[in-house]
Amino acid sequence: MPKKCNWSVYKKHYNPKWESEEPLRDWVKRVPGDETKARCRFCNAVIRAHHSDLMKHANTATHKSYIKARESNVTRFLVNTQQTKQADISQKVTDLKLSVTIACHASINSIDHIGEVIKECGKSCNCSKNTLRDLQLHRTKCSNLIKNVLGPEMKNQLITDIGSTPYSLIIDESTDITTNKQLCLVIRYYSQAKRSMISTFLGLVIARRNVSKCSELQALTDAICKFLGEVGLNIGQCLGLGTDGASVLCGTNNSVLTKLQEKNPSIIGVRCVCHSLQLACSKAVEAMPRSVDFLAHQTYNWFSFSSSRQTAYKDIYKAINNGTSPLKIMAPSGTRWLSIFQCVERILSQWDELKLHFQLAKSKEKCYTAEMLHQMYADPVNKLYLEFLKPILGEFNRVNKLFQGENVSCLKLFRTIKPAVIQRTENLTELNFQDETILLPSMETDLGALFFIQLDKSPINSNAKIEVRRRCTAFLREACMQVAKRLPNNLNMLKSMTLLSPKIATSAVKPKVTELPFIDTQFKGDLSSLEIEWKQVNLVDWGDAVSKDPIEFWGNIMEYEDSVGKRHSERLANFALKILCLPISNADVERVFSQVNLIKTDLRNRMGQDLLSAILYIRSAMRCHEGEEVKKCRCPNVLPSDKILQAVQSSSFYDHCE
């Protein structure tokens, strides 16, 4: 009798090919851990891994009802998706605009309340396309939009705009609220898209500072080179490096400048004119009597921490000046540029009122400081010193502000001071202030017409008048010497750059092309072709362009085409714009640090470096250009590009950070 076959020995297993087979592929699925079973995705039923059993399950009424319901849901989902696609984009645009506004004007935490207020206001509107009613934007989503979408996109737009254009860097160091040493980089370049010179925030780097000076220098240099490599900028295209004059940044022998010049020898080091003027003025003030500095500091300290003293002085001032409130006394500061001028100006304008106040305060409070201040205000010599300092410090302050706006007028400052103390006209770099023969005697020094009028009216004796004139002369000599000591390189550079002014460039009689600034180090092309273009600039009638700003003038020349559509002066214009992008001051870096102090405060001290940099990128991009008559807020007019919307839609955090 033949032996009966035991079919249980031949077990069948799950076949992955079933997932591509037409009747089964939409729903069949493997059961993890059991190869003898299969599972239906729709019915969630477990079936033997037999092909015949799977086909039977596909024909059951239960399975067919699940298939029909799923097809209906998919169709409904596609219809709803098409209807809500435009609304979804509008919602994201609203979120982005609010995020930009928060980054520019407020703390991120405020969006928790502002978002709810906007949402409530949106509920009162019955419009069908109301994106405010469904607004769901709080600090987590807002932070992620700023840090992961808006900030990087603003940075990418900046790098794209720079491209391969020559640029200059302006760097400086500062310490934030968390005592982190921040290295700020500002870039200055000519934007062909905007047809203007742009000076904007490039990046914020935390560089490790070691004990050794060599290690510190190397760390700063490596941090700069690494950052430029990450953003895709070539160090070989760097034209100039602007610093505040610190030896670690721009020293002659061993500094960040010398380290970068090893990588690019054509980099030009430029010391900030504003810092140099501040140091020159501070050094010159030391030649004045110590009573002047004491008067300025102690007058501010007397009122700074006492509201009762401020109220008492305010009442006295109002009684004398028909109810007008006094302006606040300013504090002399070593870090705020030329703050001594505002301090001297305020004290002189309120001299009699302050004298009366301290006369009453010395008897009322029985304070030795008040008695000393009253004696100093009663001494006419101190007022003479301040009357002398006011116009000179005002000139320093005016020129400092000009360079903060990047105007070139530093030569006028030296020409204002030099004739007062020097009897021969000599070149600035050739002056020897140790030679008494070139200096005017103190009794012949021009100290200003107003000062001489006040000196004649003063009741002090003749010996005191001679001493006052000697001290004032010493101040002028020291100021002149400090300007000549700290600014020769900047003055020579600025003087050479004036050759690129529209008036000289369009003149029939002009300097040779070899006399143009930095022609030997910064021009790498055909010098003969450049010479021809330089000689032919005046052959074209440029009209009103000659009276315009040099940057705008050379931008027009670069875009100019002749009758055959050829830009025959493009080489010369590119060279001129390259030289004009050299930094004159590092005021833009100081503005960035001011923004850092406003963003990262005591209450927001845990803010990360990425979020801080992203906010700075947004604020720099939204900043109005200098020279506009009306500076309007641009945040409501922000139109996110398709790239930003695509980044938002593909960002996984967007749907999970409500």
Side-chain angles (χ1 to χ4, degrees):
M1 183 176 181
K3 187 177 179 179
K4 187 176 180 181
C5 179
N6 187 5
W7 291 103
S8 61
V9 177
Y10 304 99
K11 294 183 178 180
K12 295 189 177 183
H13 300 277
Y14 183 84
N15 189 354
K17 294 182 180 181
W18 293 340
E19 297 178 1
S20 59
E21 188 175 337
E22 180 59 32
L24 309 177
R25 62 181 182 183
D26 293 333
W27 54 269
V28 69
K29 187 178 181 180
R30 185 193 303 270
V31 176
D34 190 353
E35 291 295 322
T36 63
K37 301 290 177 53
R39 187 173 69 85
C40 177
R41 294 184 180 181
F42 301 155
C43 311
N44 204 24
V46 179
I47 314 158
R48 282 196 316 167
H50 289 201
H51 188 270
S52 58
D53 291 353
L54 296 176
M55 296 300 295
K56 289 179 181 179
H57 175 77
N59 294 322
T60 60
T62 303
H63 181 79
K64 290 181 178 181
S65 64
Y66 275 107
I67 289 292
K68 185 176 180 180
R70 179 174 177 79
E71 291 177 351
S72 177
N73 291 336
V74 170
T75 303
R76 191 182 303 111
F77 173 77
L78 293 176
V79 173
N80 292 337
T81 300
Q82 293 295 331
Q83 293 177 348
T84 60
K85 183 177 181 180
Q86 189 63 36
D88 184 60
I89 294 177
S90 300
Q91 183 68 55
K92 295 183 186 301
V93 170
T94 302
D95 291 348
L96 291 169
K97 286 188 175 183
L98 287 173
S99 298
V100 169
T101 304
I102 291 296
C104 292
H105 303 291
S107 168
I108 297 178
N109 287 342
S110 60
I111 193 61
D112 286 346
H113 305 280
I114 295 176
E116 293 299 324
V117 172
I118 295 176
K119 188 174 181 179
E120 287 297 322
C121 295
K123 290 181 180 180
S124 61
C125 180
N126 297 323
C127 301
S128 59
K129 297 182 179 180
N130 187 1
T131 58
L132 301 180
R133 182 172 50 209
D134 301 325
L135 179 67
Q136 293 188 7
L137 182 65
H138 296 85
R139 61 174 180 240
T140 306
K141 180 193 282 187
C142 184
S143 299
N144 281 277
L145 285 175
I146 293 172
K147 181 172 63 175
N148 298 327
V149 177
L150 292 169
E153 180 59 23
M154 300 296 182
K155 179 180 178 181
N156 292 336
Q157 290 180 5
L158 173 63
I159 301 302
T160 302
D161 190 37
I162 297 172
S164 59
T165 305
Y167 63 89
S168 293
L169 291 177
I170 311 173
I171 63 174
D172 197 5
E173 288 183 289
S174 183
T175 305
D176 62 15
I177 194 65
T178 56
T179 67
N180 288 329
K181 201 72 174 181
Q182 301 277 7
L183 177 66
C184 178
L185 286 83
V186 168
I187 191 167
R188 178 176 167 85
Y189 70 100
Y190 179 77
S191 172
Q192 296 187 3
K194 301 175 182 178
R195 300 187 65 182
S196 63
M197 194 67 70
I198 304 296
S199 184
T200 187
F201 170 73
L202 179 63
L204 207 60
V205 180
I206 296 181
R208 297 183 178 272
R209 299 175 65 89
N210 302 318
V211 177
S212 172
K213 182 179 179 180
C214 295
S215 301
E216 176 186 342
L217 291 175
Q218 194 61 44
L220 290 174
T221 307
D222 292 343
I224 294 173
C225 295
K226 180 181 178 182
F227 179 82
L228 294 178
E230 290 175 351
V231 299
L233 293 179
N234 183 9
I235 189 66
Q237 291 293 106
C238 183
L239 171 66
L241 183 69
T243 63
D244 61 353
S247 59
V248 69
L249 297 179
C250 61
T252 305
N253 298 322
N254 193 20
S255 62
V256 174
L257 175 61
T258 57
K259 294 289 185 182
L260 292 178
Q261 286 176 340
E262 293 176 1
K263 302 177 182 295
N264 181 8
S266 61
I267 293 180
I268 303 170
V270 183
R271 296 193 178 192
C272 175
V273 174
C274 297
H275 274 89
S276 300
L277 290 175
Q278 162 69 20
L279 294 174
C281 185
S282 299
K283 192 69 176 178
V285 171
E286 294 179 3
M288 302 297 290
R290 289 181 296 175
S291 58
V292 175
D293 184 71
F294 180 87
L295 180 69
H297 279 89
Q298 292 304 318
T299 301
Y300 170 78
N301 293 337
W302 177 263
F303 296 106
S304 59
F305 300 108
S306 177
S307 59
S308 60
R309 291 173 178 174
Q310 294 178 19
T311 303
Y313 175 66
K314 193 174 184 180
D315 294 338
I316 294 174
Y317 190 91
K318 284 185 175 181
I320 297 175
N321 296 278
N322 298 324
T324 305
S325 298
L327 296 176
K328 184 179 179 180
I329 301 297
M330 306 297 292
S333 173
T335 56
R336 194 169 65 248
W337 289 338
L338 295 172
S339 60
I340 183 67
F341 168 69
Q342 286 83 2
C343 183
V344 169
E345 188 179 35
R346 293 286 174 87
I347 289 177
L348 275 177
S349 64
Q350 305 176 36
W351 185 271
D352 294 330
E353 293 85 351
L354 289 168
K355 177 181 176 181
L356 178 60
H357 171 77
F358 288 113
Q359 182 180 358
L360 299 175
K362 72 173 184 177
S363 58
K364 180 180 179 181
E365 298 191 20
K366 300 186 183 301
C367 177
Y368 181 73
T369 303
E371 184 177 353
M372 288 293 297
L373 287 172
H374 174 256
Q375 292 177 5
M376 298 182 72
Y377 277 100
D379 188 355
V381 173
N382 292 321
K383 188 175 183 180
L384 281 174
Y385 284 132
L386 296 185
E387 291 283 3
F388 163 75
L389 287 174
K390 181 181 176 181
I392 303 298
L393 295 178
E395 184 66 13
F396 271 95
N397 190 64
R398 183 188 68 83
V399 176
N400 192 294
K401 287 184 177 180
L402 287 177
F403 276 99
Q404 293 180 41
E406 301 173 0
N407 290 319
V408 180
S409 301
C410 191
L411 287 171
K412 296 181 181 179
L413 173 66
F414 189 75
R415 291 168 183 168
T416 302
I417 303 175
K418 187 174 71 170
V421 294
I422 300 174
Q423 59 184 354
R424 298 201 309 261
T425 55
E426 298 185 19
N427 190 3
L428 174 64
T429 58
E430 298 175 356
L431 290 175
N432 181 16
F433 287 89
Q434 304 301 325
D435 184 7
E436 293 290 337
T437 60
I438 70 170
L439 301 177
L440 291 169
S442 60
M443 297 304 294
E444 298 180 13
T445 304
D446 184 9
L447 303 178
L450 181 60
F451 171 78
F452 284 126
I453 293 174
Q454 296 294 334
L455 185 64
D456 293 338
K457 294 180 180 179
S458 177
I460 62 177
N461 57 48
S462 58
N463 291 332
K465 291 182 179 180
I466 293 175
E467 178 63 18
V468 169
R469 295 189 65 169
R470 187 186 69 82
R471 287 280 195 167
C472 294
T473 301
F475 171 85
L476 283 179
R477 289 179 178 180
E478 185 66 26
C480 196
M481 183 176 67
Q482 290 296 325
V483 171
K485 176 182 177 181
R486 299 178 183 276
L487 294 178
N489 294 333
N490 296 82
L491 293 179
N492 293 334
M493 183 187 71
L494 296 175
K495 187 176 180 180
S496 65
M497 290 174 64
T498 57
L499 299 178
L500 298 174
S501 65
K503 185 177 180 180
I504 295 179
T506 56
S507 175
V509 180
K510 64 183 72 174
K512 297 179 180 179
V513 70
T514 54
E515 298 178 16
L516 294 179
F518 309 107
I519 189 69
D520 53 341
T521 59
Q522 299 300 329
F523 183 73
K524 307 298 183 182
D526 185 5
L527 186 60
S528 300
S529 300
L530 184 71
E531 183 179 15
I532 294 174
E533 294 181 8
W534 174 248
K535 291 180 179 180
Q536 293 179 350
V537 172
N538 59 296
L539 300 180
V540 179
D541 184 12
W542 299 105
D544 297 336
V546 179
S547 60
K548 294 182 179 179
D549 180 76
I551 296 174
E552 186 176 355
F553 170 75
W554 289 108
N556 292 335
I557 289 183
M558 185 173 61
E559 299 292 333
Y560 175 76
E561 296 181 354
D562 56 15
S563 57
V564 295
K566 181 181 179 181
R567 297 182 178 181
H568 59 80
S569 298
E570 186 176 9
R571 185 183 293 103
L572 176 62
N574 284 329
F575 172 73
L577 292 171
K578 178 181 180 180
I579 300 302
L580 290 174
C581 79
L582 280 172
I584 303 301
S585 75
N586 67 342
D588 290 304
V589 177
E590 300 297 338
R591 294 187 183 103
V592 172
F593 283 135
S594 297
Q595 291 294 321
V596 171
N597 293 331
L598 292 174
I599 296 170
K600 196 171 183 179
T601 60
D602 291 335
L603 298 178
R604 305 169 70 187
N605 60 76
R606 295 177 61 189
M607 178 179 292
Q609 190 77 0
D610 293 339
L611 181 58
L612 175 61
S613 298
I615 294 176
L616 290 173
Y617 281 122
I618 295 172
R619 292 193 176 190
S620 299
M622 293 295 106
R623 187 183 66 182
C624 294
H625 295 294
E626 295 182 2
E628 293 182 357
E629 296 182 358
V630 181
K631 294 185 178 182
K632 297 182 179 179
C633 178
R634 299 170 56 192
C635 300
N637 300 325
V638 173
L639 294 176
S641 62
D642 295 338
K643 189 175 181 179
I644 293 181
L645 292 175
Q646 184 179 1
V648 172
Q649 293 170 355
S650 62
S651 297
S652 59
F653 69 87
Y654 192 90
D655 297 324
H656 303 286
C657 296
E658 308 295 341

